[in-house]
Structures are given as C-alpha cells and as structure tokens.
Amino acid sequence: MKKFYFMMVLSCLFYLETSAQCTPVDCSASLPPFGGICDTLLMTGYQDQPYSDFESFVLTQACFNPSVEIDPTQPDIVVFVTNVDNITFANLPAGTTPTPSQTSYQTMPGGPTLGCASVDGTPTEAGFFAVQINTVADLEICEGIFAGIPVLDQAFGFDVGLEIKPNTDFAGLAAEYCVFDGDVMLTP
C-alpha cells in the first residue's frame, strides 16, 4: 500500500512539473512606475530543435499618460491599469505556441501584479521575428473631474525580438574515420 501512495505522489509531482507554465519574474525595479515588459528579446533558438522561453511583465496602479508612455494614438489623459486580458501573439515562427500564465490579470493597490507568457514548440523556420504581444486593457482615469471613470477595452501592443538560427545538423558522418579514408559528402 505504501508503494501505491508513493507512486501517486510521484505521479502528481511529475504532472505538476510537466504542466507548469512560466513563473513570472519581478523586474519592477528596472521599469517605469506603471510597469511594462521585463525585456524585449527572447532567447535565441534553432530551427527544428525544441524551444522554450518566456516573457515576464509587471502591472501596477501607478498613474501614467498612455499617449506619452506607450502609444501616441491613445487618449491624452492620465490613467492607471485595472485589468489586462485577451493576450495574443503575432509573428511567431511556425511550430511555436504562446501560453499566458493566466487569461486575465487584475491590478491590486499597493503592489505590482506579475504575469508571464511562455513560447514553446519546435520552430520550423529560421530568421529574426518581430513578435507582437497584443492585449486589451481596462483603465481608470486618475485625475481631474473625470477621475474614477473607467476607460474600457484599450488595445496595447509590445514588440519582442526572437531569433531562430538555421539548423546546423549534418547527416552522412560515420562513427569512426582513419587517416587514409577518402572524402565524405555531408548533407545539411
């Protein structure tokens, strides 16, 4: 009976490890007071090789002007973020899939809200990819006569770079060669 319980515990631990998504990193010390993404470059990968990396982000309830700080097409008002959802990715290499750690992130007073999204898979194409991370944010006006009024469903986007290098594997090599062996044709 003890073996059965031991195997059950190991199975549960294995499941949690293999189904775990990214764990957010708190990089708020290196970001503006309102937060943002932690860096703008994902780890380099190789075509036809398993790939896994993630991007962390920080959200706070600090007031900011989105037209100055993020996107000049946004309204010229001072707001803070209350909720972020509908996180999508564009321009990922074929064979990779993004997975946010949650579907929605709500900010809390007095502290940062941390989140992340992983990119996993086996890229089938090489190149430099300008990956777009798009989201929809709910905001609240911070100051003036409209303070406290929500501004819902504002689209925001961030660019992150991802380099996938060509596969450098070769076929046609023998296990051993002698000094007098002839030429060998390698197939990339």
Side-chain angles (χ1 to χ4, degrees):
M1 192 65 162
K2 288 182 183 178
K3 285 184 181 179
F4 175 76
Y5 288 123
F6 181 70
M7 292 304 291
M8 289 291 292
V9 168
L10 283 179
S11 296
C12 289
L13 289 173
F14 178 75
Y15 174 76
L16 289 173
E17 182 65 29
T18 58
S19 66
Q21 295 176 351
C22 55
T23 302
V25 174
D26 185 356
C27 63
S28 55
S30 64
L31 295 174
F34 59 85
I37 59 173
C38 291
D39 59 59
T40 59
L41 193 60
L42 288 163
M43 179 178 67
T44 300
Y46 292 90
Q47 181 181 4
D48 301 323
Q49 300 291 323
Y51 180 85
S52 183
D53 196 12
F54 69 96
E55 184 64 53
S56 290
F57 57 88
V58 176
L59 303 169
T60 72
Q61 287 193 349
C63 295
F64 68 101
N65 184 329
S67 67
V68 172
E69 301 289 349
I70 298 175
D71 182 355
T73 66
Q74 295 295 320
D76 193 20
I77 55 175
V78 178
V79 296
F80 69 87
V81 176
T82 59
N83 189 66
V84 169
D85 56 15
N86 296 328
I87 300 169
T88 60
F89 285 67
N91 300 331
L92 279 171
T96 59
T97 304
T99 307
S101 60
Q102 295 176 203
T103 57
S104 179
Y105 299 89
Q106 186 173 12
T107 60
M108 301 302 214
T113 298
L114 306 178
C116 62
S118 64
V119 176
D120 302 290
T122 303
T124 58
E125 56 185 338
F128 186 83
F129 299 86
V131 178
Q132 295 173 346
I133 303 173
N134 300 305
T135 187
V136 175
D138 293 338
L139 311 170
E140 188 173 305
I141 298 175
C142 285
E143 53 189 44
I145 60 171
F146 298 110
I149 293 177
V151 181
L152 304 177
D153 299 330
Q154 297 297 301
F156 288 101
F158 301 94
D159 292 331
V160 176
L162 170 58
E163 182 180 13
I164 301 296
K165 294 183 177 182
N167 186 343
T168 57
D169 290 343
F170 290 93
L173 292 173
E176 294 180 7
Y177 290 95
C178 293
V179 173
F180 301 109
D181 286 347
D183 292 343
V184 174
M185 179 65 79
L186 299 178
T187 306

